[in-house]
Amino acid sequence: MTENNPRRLGRSDLVVSPLCLGGNVFGWTADEATSFRLLDAYRDAGGTFVDTADSYSAWVEGHTGGESETVIGAWLASRGRPDDLVIATKVSSHPEFPGLSAGNVRAAAHTSLKRLGVDAVDLYYAHFDDPRTPVAESAEAFSALVDEGKVRAIGLSNHSPERITEWLDACRDRGLHAPVCVQPQYNLMERAVEEDLVPLAQERGLALLPYFGLARGFLTGKYRPDGGEVDSPRAGKARAYLERPQGPRVLAELDAIAARRGAAPATIALAWLVDRPAVASVLASARDLDQLSALLPVGGLRLTDQEKARLDEASHAGA
């Protein structure tokens, strides 16, 4: 990643690396010591963008949420916060801070800042849509955090194009700080956003930051029709991609390109994604250094037009 030019995040002043390190595993499948090693290795490779959420990892028995933020906060305290490091976190799904009401957004933000040990978070997401709260109320709450210097930029995650448009229009009409990016599920096996969200992002100047860029691990190549069991909490959903017509085709094409390039299939899959229209950076997580090693080259590898075309053809359902 050190060889690549950083990318601007939409219309913000934030500049990020092509690979965003996902923090969902920190404090869960990666303990604190392992998480520190992953963060150190990512930084050593030139990475400048770390993503987490206040709810990570509340789904684990015995966890309450905030575990990932706490690990990142401890790492920052021990290493010091680099000037170029962009930290993103999210609100709406923590058991104690559900939804996007104005009061909840404010309370959750201050709690996240304490766990992270920082005065401001660079990018603050509305993690999931909250249909019970008027969009204008949420938009005003996020904008107020920017005015107070607690948040530098705003993002939306898991919102429909219609709700994103409503949020953007509310900001325009009320003179509020508008979201600069959207975080959708997007990868070679999940391309529905190309029909509506990608055109919206291009029209409104939003950066896309895809998550599940490796389709829950499927695009790493470790799930095969005749393969054995994979030790992963996402194995069931990942293996289900083999039932789709394009699943085996995509794996075969990734294998072929990876062999020619001397790279891992995961690297090729993310390299395809990071060059898609409106995409600024791609999220991927790793629970150990071996997994991370396949992610780090993404910033320095560019596919040819022919390679991208072959992956496009293989990944379309009707191909």
Side-chain angles (χ1 to χ4, degrees):
M1 286 186 294
T2 54
E3 299 176 357
N4 285 274
N5 293 324
R7 298 165 172 223
R8 189 165 299 279
L9 202 56
R11 293 173 177 166
S12 76
D13 62 354
L14 298 177
V15 176
V16 299
S17 52
L19 174 68
C20 177
L21 184 62
N24 59 308
V25 297
F26 299 157
W28 174 30
T29 53
D31 61 18
E32 182 176 285
T34 302
S35 299
F36 277 30
R37 288 194 291 271
L38 291 166
L39 286 161
D40 287 341
Y42 174 71
R43 283 293 300 165
D44 289 344
T48 63
F49 194 10
V50 175
D51 177 273
T52 186
D54 65 352
S55 59
Y56 299 163
S57 46
W59 58 86
V60 179
E61 184 177 356
H63 289 203
T64 59
E67 285 80 10
S68 175
E69 288 181 334
T70 299
V71 168
I72 294 171
W75 178 77
L76 291 172
S78 68
R79 306 295 195 264
R81 182 175 181 179
D83 292 338
D84 64 343
L85 182 64
V86 173
I87 300 173
T89 192
K90 314 179 189 73
V91 55
S92 82
S93 301
H94 192 285
E96 296 179 19
F97 301 102
L100 297 175
S101 67
N104 188 69
V105 168
R106 173 173 291 275
H110 283 270
T111 303
S112 287
L113 290 173
K114 289 180 181 178
R115 280 193 289 257
L116 290 166
V118 297
D119 295 326
V121 65
D122 299 298
L123 179 60
Y124 199 41
Y125 283 100
H127 199 173
F128 289 92
D129 193 7
D130 176 10
R132 299 164 299 178
T133 301
V135 164
E137 177 182 337
S138 302
E140 289 180 351
F142 275 79
S143 186
L145 290 171
V146 177
D147 288 333
E148 295 168 14
K150 301 298 183 183
V151 168
R152 291 180 63 190
I154 300 164
L156 301 179
S157 175
N158 299 298
H159 282 61
S160 69
E162 294 75 21
R163 293 287 276 181
I164 294 169
T165 299
E166 186 177 352
W167 192 304
L168 292 172
D169 289 348
C171 291
R172 179 197 60 202
D173 296 343
R174 296 166 183 262
L176 305 174
H177 297 285
V180 301
C181 61
V182 177
Q183 191 179 105
Q185 181 178 185
Y186 184 19
N187 55 62
L188 276 164
M189 298 300 298
E190 301 284 353
R191 299 184 60 177
V193 296
E194 294 176 346
E195 300 177 7
D196 46 22
L197 182 55
V198 171
L200 174 63
Q202 292 176 298
E203 176 188 349
R204 303 298 288 264
L206 296 168
L208 293 182
L209 303 171
Y211 69 86
F212 285 167
L214 294 175
R216 302 175 187 269
F218 177 74
L219 299 174
T220 64
K222 61 186 176 183
Y223 298 91
R224 303 287 178 170
D226 299 320
E229 294 299 316
V230 175
D231 179 19
S232 169
R234 296 174 177 167
K237 291 182 178 180
R239 186 169 290 281
Y241 285 120
L242 289 171
E243 305 300 322
R244 299 187 185 183
Q246 67 269 41
R249 291 199 307 263
V250 167
L251 290 181
E253 197 57 53
L254 287 174
D255 287 342
I257 297 173
R260 288 196 301 270
R261 290 299 197 103
T267 308
I268 303 302
L270 292 179
W272 173 87
L273 186 58
V274 81
D275 267 349
R276 301 301 294 171
V279 172
S281 183
V282 295
L283 276 79
S285 58
R287 59 179 176 173
D288 56 46
L289 292 175
D290 285 342
Q291 289 185 354
L292 182 64
S293 66
L295 309 181
L296 294 178
V298 168
L301 190 152
R302 289 292 173 269
L303 300 180
T304 66
D305 289 343
Q306 182 181 25
E307 288 169 336
K308 287 185 283 189
R310 291 181 67 88
L311 285 169
D312 285 343
E313 181 179 2
S315 63
H316 279 298

